[in-house]
Amino acid sequence: MNFQMKKLGLCVMLASFAGVVLPAEAATKLENIKVDNSMAAQTRIEFQFDGPVGGYQDRLQYDPEQLVLNLSDAESALLKNDFHVKSKAVRNVNVKQSGGDLSVAVDLESLVPYEVSQQGNSLYVTLGQDPRAVAAKQGYSDQSVVGKSKKTVAGGINRINGINFKKGASGEGLVVVNLDNKNAALELVPKGTHLIAKFHGSAVDPNLLAVMDVNDYGTLLRNIDVSEAADGAVLDIALQSAEFDAKHVQNGESIVITVAKKKPVVKVTDAPRYSGKNLSLSFQDIPVRNALKILAEEVKVNLVMNDSVSGNITVNFDNVPWDQALDTILRVKGLDKRMDGNILLIGQQEELAAYEQKQLEEQEKKSAKEPLVTEFLQINYAKAADIVKLLKTNDGANSISAEQGGSSNYGQGGGNGAEASDSLLSVRGTATVDERTNTLIIKDTEASIANVKRLIEKLDTPIQQVMVEARIVAVDETVADQMGIHWNLGSDNIIQSGHEDGKWSGTAGTNTIPAEAEYKGGVINIGRLGSNFNLNLTLAALETENRTETIASPRVTTTNQKKAMIEQGYQIPSVTAASSGATTVEWTDAVLKLEVTPQITPDDSIFLDLEITNDDLGQTVTTTTGSSVSINKRAVQTSVLVGNGETLVLGGIFQQEIKRIKSQIPFLGDIPVVGWLFKTVENSNQRREVMVFITPHIVEGAVGR
C-alpha cells in the first residue's frame, strides 16, 4: 500500500514538473508573402504560415481604402513587415503585431471585391472581379465559362438588394440592409438631424430608390432617403433630434444600423480626497476593534471606541491611504467617526448622532441662560438695512421702513420671529437699524454678536466702480451731378377772351420759364417764333457734394452690478386729433441716451447689459392734423463681455442709395451724340454709415481690493 502511494506521488510530481518546464503551444508564424499578378483582372496574395491558421476575420474599410485581416494566435517571422506591391489593385501590405494576434493591412488602389480562402498552411486573398462572374450576370449560361466565383456586382464591389426597418426592444431604430456579399465599406457621417450612411463602391437595386417613411414606428427616425451617388449608395436617415448615437454591425451579407437617443452623461460627484500616509494591511477574519487598533498604531492616532464596535472583518490593503482604509472599514461595519482635537472617536452612527443632538440641546439650554449684551456696529459701505436682511437665511418679510426717530426694529430671532436655525441671531436676539447714522444695533449673546461681526467684516467692503464710455459715429455723404439741356417755349402775351373787328386783343405780360426754377444754369434765348412766342434753352451743368460726420460720446460711472443711465436731448410735440374733434399734444423724446448695467468678472473683464440710443431731428412731414417733425432713430441693445480698458465694436449699419434720373424729348434724345441736346441726366449717390463703440474702465484707486 505504501509503495502504491509513493508511486502515485511520484507521478503527480512528474506531471507538475512537466507542466512547469514544458513550453506552451507555439503561435502560428507568418513566414512568407507571395503576390500573383498573372491573372488579367485579379490579384492574388498568398500568406504562407508554418502551420494551419487558427482563425481569422476580414473586413473592408474606407479612408484609407484597405482590406484588414485579423489573425488570432499568430505572429510574424518576416524580416520586414512593410511591403510595396507592384499591382493595379494593391499598393502595400503592412503586417503588425497586436498582442497575441497578427493584423495584416492590404492598401488598395480602390475598393474592389475580394475573397479569402484557406488551403493547408496558406491563406489566399483574391482581389478584383472575375470576368466569368460578369459574363454570368450578362446572361451566359455556359458553366464552363462562368466557373466557381464569388457573387459580385459589375462596376462595384457590392449591391444593396433590400432595406428593412424594425423597432428595437429599447425603442431604438434598426435599419437592416441586405447585400449581395459581405464586401461592404460602410461610413456613418452625422450631419445635424441627419445620419448619412455611405456604402462606398456599392450599387442599389433601382426598385429601392425611394423615401421610406418610418415616422409611425415611434423611434428617433423620421424617414430614409435611398439614393445612388458616383462613389456608391447613400442612405440619408432623417431624425427627430440631433442628439443621437449610431453604430453598425455586420453579420455576413446583412448590416444592421442602430440609431438610438443619446444617453445622458451622468456627472459623477467628486469622490472624497484622501491625503493620508499610504500603508499595506492584510487581516483574515479578525475583530474589528483589533483592526482599528492596529491601523491607529500604524499612523500614531489617539483612538477611542464605543462598546458597540464589534464583529469580525477581513481586509487586504496594498499601498492605500490610511484615511481611505479607515473610511472603508467604517462603511462596511456601519460605523462612523468624529475628530475631537487629536482624538479619533469611533462608534455606531446612531450613537454618535444621538450624542451630537444631546450636545446641541444642552448648548441651546446654556445659550438661553446667557446674558444679553448690546453692540453698536457702524456700517461703512453697505446699507445697514440690507445687512439685517442677510442675518437670516429664509426668505421672509424682513425689511421694515424706518419708524419715527430714524430707526427700524427688525424683530426677534434675526427679524420677524425667525427660528434660531435660520438666523445668525439667537431666539432672544434683536436687530435695530439707525438709518440716520447707518448704524446696526444688535442685542444678543456674545457668540451671536461675534457671528454677526464676522458677516459684516466680509460684506461691508467698498464696491468697485466702472466708467462706461460709448461712441456713436454717424457719417452721411451725398454726391450728385446733373448734365443736359432743357428747351422751353414761352409767350410774351397772355391771350384774353373776346375780340374786336376780327382781331385778337391782349395785354403785354411775361411768361415765367420753368427751366430756370428746375435747373441751375444759364438761359439762352434762341429766337422768336412769330410775334407771340419765343424759344429758350437752359444749360444744366451742376455737381454737388455733401458730407456730414456726427460723433456722440456719452459716458457714465456706476458701481458694480448697478444700473446707470445718462441722456441728453429734446422733446418733439405732435398733435393728435380725436374723433370728437378735440386735439391733444403729445411729446416724444429725441435723446442721446446710454443705459448700462456692468458686472465685473474675477479676471477683471466686464460684462455689460447695454442700451444706447441716438435720436435726431428728421424731415418735416405732412399729416392729417398738420405738419410734424420726424425723428431719425439710431439704437442698439445688447449684452457683451469686454476686457478692462478694451474697445469693442457693438455693431454698425451701412446704407447706400444710388439714383439716376433721365429726362428727354422722345426719339430725339436717343440720337447718338446729338441726343444730348434734347435730354437731361441726374445722378446721385447717397451713403449713410453708423458705427457704435463701447469702452469700459474699472476705476482704479476708488476701492480697496
Side-chain angles (χ1 to χ4, degrees), residues 318-594:
D318 184 14
N319 200 27
V320 177
W322 75 267
D323 44 355
Q324 183 180 5
L326 175 63
D327 286 351
T328 303
I329 295 175
L330 298 180
R331 185 166 57 250
V332 169
K333 303 304 293 185
L335 303 173
D336 205 351
K337 69 178 187 297
R338 298 290 185 272
M339 289 297 299
D340 185 5
N342 61 349
I343 299 177
L344 178 63
L345 176 62
I346 295 179
Q348 292 290 336
Q349 295 177 352
E350 297 80 5
E351 290 180 346
L352 295 180
Y355 174 73
E356 290 177 342
Q357 180 64 28
K358 184 178 180 180
Q359 277 191 324
L360 181 60
E361 293 175 356
E362 292 179 354
Q363 183 67 27
E364 290 177 354
K365 293 179 181 179
K366 181 180 179 182
S367 177
K369 298 179 181 179
E370 288 184 6
L372 301 179
V373 296
T374 302
E375 190 80 24
F376 299 87
L377 304 176
Q378 179 66 48
I379 308 301
N380 299 317
Y381 301 100
K383 292 182 179 180
D386 294 337
I387 295 294
V388 172
K389 297 177 183 179
L390 300 175
L391 295 182
K392 58 189 294 296
T393 57
N394 64 332
D395 294 328
N398 52 13
S399 177
I400 303 176
S401 59
E403 301 292 340
Q404 295 181 355
S407 64
S408 300
N409 193 319
Y410 284 77
Q412 289 185 332
N416 303 332
E419 296 295 335
S421 59
D422 293 333
S423 172
L424 291 179
L425 301 178
S426 66
V427 178
R428 299 183 295 158
T430 59
T432 306
V433 174
D434 180 31
E435 296 184 353
R436 184 176 60 85
T437 59
N438 201 36
T439 301
L440 183 62
I441 306 170
I442 303 293
K443 185 177 182 181
D444 207 339
T445 61
E446 291 184 354
S448 297
I449 292 178
N451 292 333
V452 174
K453 286 182 177 180
R454 285 197 298 270
L455 174 68
I456 294 175
E457 183 181 357
K458 291 290 185 182
L459 301 182
D460 188 24
T461 57
I463 303 176
Q464 290 179 286
Q465 300 182 72
V466 180
M467 184 187 73
V468 181
E469 177 184 3
R471 288 190 296 278
I472 305 106
V473 181
V475 178
D476 291 342
E477 184 176 0
T478 304
V479 177
D481 61 73
Q482 177 180 309
M483 183 65 70
I485 293 176
H486 179 78
W487 296 90
N488 183 48
L489 181 65
S491 173
D492 290 338
N493 296 319
I494 300 176
I495 306 300
Q496 297 180 344
S497 62
H499 61 278
E500 183 180 355
D501 298 332
K503 296 182 180 180
W504 289 96
S505 63
T507 58
T510 302
N511 186 27
T512 58
I513 302 175
E516 295 178 355
E518 297 177 3
Y519 299 94
K520 302 298 182 181
V523 180
I524 302 175
N525 195 319
I526 301 300
R528 301 183 62 85
L529 301 177
S531 60
N532 293 325
F533 299 95
N534 56 5
L535 182 64
N536 298 324
L537 178 148
T538 303
L539 179 63
L542 176 67
E543 183 175 348
T544 60
E545 183 176 348
N546 182 19
R547 179 181 174 87
T548 304
E549 184 172 334
T550 306
I551 300 178
S553 181
R555 64 185 67 185
V556 66
T557 302
T558 181
T559 56
N560 187 28
Q561 298 186 2
K562 288 292 183 180
K563 180 185 290 187
M565 188 268 288
I566 185 171
E567 68 177 9
Q568 176 193 8
Y570 35 79
Q571 290 185 321
I572 300 175
S574 59
V575 179
T576 303
S579 59
S580 61
T583 59
T584 58
V585 178
E586 295 182 356
W587 296 86
T588 305
D589 292 335
V591 297
L592 169 65
K593 183 177 73 171
L594 169 63

Side-chain angles (χ1 to χ4, degrees), residues 168-237:
S170 302
E172 68 273 15
L174 305 177
V175 182
V176 183
V177 181
N178 297 320
L179 305 171
D180 254 0
N181 54 69
K182 68 175 184 178
N183 301 162
L186 173 59
E187 180 184 10
L188 296 180
V189 182
K191 192 174 182 181
T193 57
H194 288 254
L195 175 65
I196 310 299
K198 298 181 180 179
F199 289 82
H200 296 279
S202 298
V204 186
D205 189 331
N207 297 326
L208 300 177
L209 296 176
V211 179
M212 298 174 55
D213 188 357
V214 296
N215 194 40
D216 295 338
Y217 284 84
T219 66
L220 198 61
L221 282 70
R222 292 190 288 116
N223 58 66
I224 305 171
D225 186 359
V226 184
S227 61
E228 196 171 32
D231 60 343
V234 177
L235 272 63
D236 187 350
I237 304 173

